[in-house]
Every structure is written in structure tokens, then in C-alpha cells.
Amino acid sequence: MMGTAVKYVAALNVDTKLVKCFVYAVFRESSRVEVVGSAYDHIEFVYPAIGRLEIDPAKLWSCVITTIKTAFEEANLTADQIAFLAISCHQGSFTCWNRSNGMVYHNFITAQDLRADQMTKDCNENFMFKAFKSSASFLHCFTRSQRYLNQSLYEVTNEHVTMRLAWMLENSPGVKQDLPFGNVLFGGIDAWLLYRFRQGIDPNKKVEHISDVTSCVATGFYDPFTQDWADWAAMLYPIEASLEITQVEYTF
């Protein structure tokens, strides 16, 4: 490695099969970067029943921490020498956890999970849902708005978080018990990792519930045109507003 590095940065990627971490050196004499450390590990999946695919949060957290530490060790660096950590995660997997103590109510339910398949079909055939799409189509005829066109063509799918989250709200005892008190948070892998990282070693520390815009859109009930949670979602899905993530842009 030639030259003097101005700073070191790390990038964490949690894709559908692997957790990867790369450490980069940014050099003083140019904008050149060089990989000085890397590591990866496999994600372990849980198959509780046919058509169900989950990830254990505790095992995922252990995998993430081990991968980051291994990459830092290969780069011969400590955490306080890293300027920042960039995070990218696959979308569609989610879990719910307790706002007060950080306790996770259930495993991550992945985008390949089909437990809410019947609910998804029922939603697409629901009179209110069809009326919503027809109204959007009517409005598009007059406004030519891309937002209304997208709404008129919208279909709920199993890949969206929406119906799988609705299924968990109905079937997870812990979620059902704590939801009326506003203690339940939900989020994708990125939102949960951000929450855990910012809590540090104190599981009772209250931190802001945040996520990336694209992850919010992947839930199926975030409106990218208004940059906010869709006001029409409450009419179609049994999802409490208290669950909604405080959306931010790209830096935390």
C-alpha cells in the first residue's frame, strides 16, 4: 500500500445469503481508494414450516459483528480509526421489537416467506382495494399524474412487507399485547441494525427509529411521491401508525 491514507471507511452489506464487510483506505494524494480488509459469512436461515423462511435476529447480529471485527483485524485497524460505516441490506425482510427494552418479538420474516399468501390474495380482491384503484384510475384520467397511474396499477404481493406484517400483528402474542401501548416498532434489517448500533451496549437506550427511503418504499405502504407513509394505507391494511418508521434520507 503506497501513500498516506487520509481516512479509513467501512462498508457493510447484508444481502440475501451473505454478510460482507470491506474496509477501504482513502489516500491523501488522490481520490484513490484501496481495500485493506474484508470478510464475509453466510446467513443462517430458519424453516419453521413449509412456505416459511426466517432469519434469527440474534444469529444475524452475531454474524454481522463477527464479520466487521474480522475485516477490521485484517486491515489492522480498530473501530475508532474508522471514519464511518456504510450499510446496505436486502429489502423485504422485517421484524418487530420493543421500543422500551429492544426485545425482538419474532424472527425476521423474509421476502420469500408465504405465510400471508391468502391474506395477500384476499386484499387484492377486496372491494375497498378495488375501489381505491378505480378512483386512482379516474383521477389519472383528469390529472395525468404518475402517482395516480401507479396507484391504479398497484397490486399487493408477498414480497411487500405489508401483509406479512399484518399477519404478525394478528398472530404474535407479544406484539398483540404491547401494540396498544405504542411499544412495538417494526423495520427491515437496515432499520434494526441502525437501532442496535446506536443503542450500543445499553438495550434500554432510546434512539430514533429510522430507515432509508428505498427500504420504506419496499414495505408497500410508503408513498414515494409524497415522501411519507401513505395516508390511504390505514383504510386497506390493519397497521397501526405507531409502527411507522421516522424516514430519513441517506445518512444517519
Side-chain angles (χ1 to χ4, degrees):
M1 185 172 66
M2 303 297 293
T4 303
V6 175
K7 64 175 66 174
Y8 297 95
V9 299
L12 174 70
N13 173 246
V14 182
D15 64 24
T16 55
K17 294 181 179 180
L18 297 172
V19 174
K20 294 171 283 188
C21 183
F22 294 88
V23 180
Y24 300 90
V26 182
F27 290 92
R28 184 181 304 279
E29 72 276 7
S30 67
S31 58
R32 183 172 64 91
V33 297
E34 181 178 317
V35 176
V36 294
S38 65
Y40 74 91
D41 199 358
H42 291 270
I43 294 174
E44 184 177 334
F45 293 97
V46 179
Y47 304 87
I50 295 174
R52 299 186 182 185
L53 183 60
E54 304 175 357
I55 301 172
D56 185 327
K59 291 184 177 180
L60 178 62
W61 178 251
S62 177
C63 181
V64 166
I65 297 302
T66 299
T67 302
I68 292 174
K69 284 183 176 179
T70 303
F72 287 4
E73 288 170 0
E74 184 176 296
N76 197 27
L77 297 170
T78 58
D80 58 2
Q81 292 176 279
I82 304 298
F84 63 84
L85 174 69
I87 300 176
S88 65
C89 302
H90 75 261
Q91 299 170 346
S93 299
F94 77 95
T95 191
C96 295
W97 66 95
N98 187 281
R99 184 192 302 271
S100 300
N101 56 30
M103 179 191 72
V104 178
Y105 292 104
H106 58 80
N107 287 342
F108 279 99
I109 311 302
T110 70
Q112 293 75 38
D113 191 283
L114 299 176
R115 72 188 66 205
D117 186 57
Q118 189 57 53
M119 291 178 68
T120 300
K121 293 175 181 176
D122 291 344
C123 183
N124 285 321
E125 293 300 317
N126 182 272
F127 172 79
M128 286 292 293
F129 188 71
K130 290 184 174 182
F132 164 74
K133 292 175 63 176
S134 297
S135 298
S137 179
F138 177 78
L139 289 169
H140 175 256
C141 290
F142 289 94
T143 66
R144 313 311 297 176
S145 166
Q146 185 66 38
R147 180 192 182 200
Y148 292 131
L149 175 61
N150 287 9
Q151 289 177 349
S152 70
L153 300 174
Y154 183 68
E155 293 287 335
V156 180
T157 70
N158 283 302
E159 287 76 17
H160 291 144
V161 170
T162 319
M163 300 316 297
R164 286 176 288 127
L165 175 58
W167 191 96
M168 292 307 301
L169 295 181
E170 291 183 6
N171 292 278
S172 171
V175 171
K176 290 180 70 173
Q177 177 179 322
D178 291 346
L179 187 61
F181 302 101
N183 285 333
V184 178
L185 300 176
F186 100 95
I189 291 176
D190 68 311
W192 184 73
L193 286 177
L194 286 167
Y195 204 88
R196 286 295 308 269
F197 280 135
R198 294 160 77 240
Q199 278 187 315
I201 61 174
D202 182 4
N204 297 312
K205 182 180 179 181
K206 290 181 171 57
V207 297
E208 192 176 15
H209 185 208
I210 57 179
S211 183
D212 172 71
V213 173
T214 57
S215 295
C216 294
V217 171
T219 63
F221 57 100
Y222 182 87
D223 191 334
F225 292 93
T226 62
Q227 294 286 285
D228 202 355
W229 297 100
D231 51 10
W232 46 263
M235 298 184 295
L236 304 176
Y237 313 128
I239 297 173
E240 299 282 344
S242 62
L243 288 164
E244 294 173 356
I245 300 167
T246 303
Q247 170 267 321
V248 295
E249 293 192 6
Y250 302 105
T251 57
F252 315 105

